[in-house]
Amino acid sequence: MLHLSFEQTEIVKVSIMKKDIDNKLKSKNIKPTAMRELVLQVLTEQKTAISLPELEQKFEKADKATLYRTLKTFQENKLIHAIEDGSGSVKYALCQEACDCQPEDLHVHFLCTNCNQTFCLNDIPVPTINLPSSFSLESVNMVVKGICSNCKK
Ligand SMILES: [Zn+2]
Ligand SMILES: [Zn+2]
Ligand SMILES: [Zn+2]
């Protein structure tokens, strides 16, 4: 009896998660598919940005082209953003709810030189860059390097 009710609770928990994932996809005008749900699930579980090789490893059994397409769709629909932190591979992180991936939405990234993790410093906007008048700004990639709070302990 006890065992049964435990299993039921687990099922409820999983379905709520799936509902959250689907709602998140729909809020960014992305049609939920099994692959998209899985990729978003993995991205949601990350506390720091995840690199493409790490993602490829997690989706070893899936078709690579499908994974790349999924990431491209997520990026185009402003669900995730790509980070070039100079570590050699592109990393991805979820966007904030209201993010439109415009220069005014951009935040500073922090690369820990000890654990190589990249953090989204969502509360720190990138400073305004005053470009010469004939230049127009499209994007800013600001990476601050140092030791993260986990490594400092
Ligand atoms: Zn964004
Ligand atoms: Zn660290
Ligand atoms: Zn970020």
Side-chain angles (χ1 to χ4, degrees), residues 49 81-83 93-95 107-109 118-122:
H81 55 284
I83 305 152
L94 282 184
C95 284
H107 52 263
V108 169
H109 289 108
T118 298
F119 299 78
C120 285
L121 302 182
N122 287 308

Side-chain angles (χ1 to χ4, degrees), residues 65-123:
T66 312
L67 173 64
Y68 300 152
R69 244 194 338 265
T70 303
L71 291 168
K72 194 163 174 268
T73 304
F74 282 7
Q75 227 183 317
E76 282 169 355
N77 289 274
K78 289 143 190 177
L79 178 61
I80 62 171
H81 55 284
I83 305 152
E84 290 155 39
D85 61 7
S87 65
S89 52
V90 59
K91 292 180 183 174
Y92 295 98
L94 282 184
C95 284
Q96 300 268 88
E97 200 83 36
C99 181
D100 206 21
C101 293
Q102 293 303 307
E104 59 269 25
D105 293 315
L106 297 172
H107 52 263
V108 169
H109 289 108
F110 185 93
L111 171 65
C112 176
T113 52
N114 187 53
C115 65
N116 208 30
Q117 297 293 317
T118 298
F119 299 78
C120 285
L121 302 182
N122 287 308
D123 295 333

Side-chain angles (χ1 to χ4, degrees), residues 4-17:
L4 221 168
S5 68
F6 171 74
E7 275 184 354
Q8 279 172 339
T9 324
E10 284 298 292
I11 291 162
V12 169
K13 209 176 109 195
V14 168
S15 65
I16 287 172
M17 273 303 285

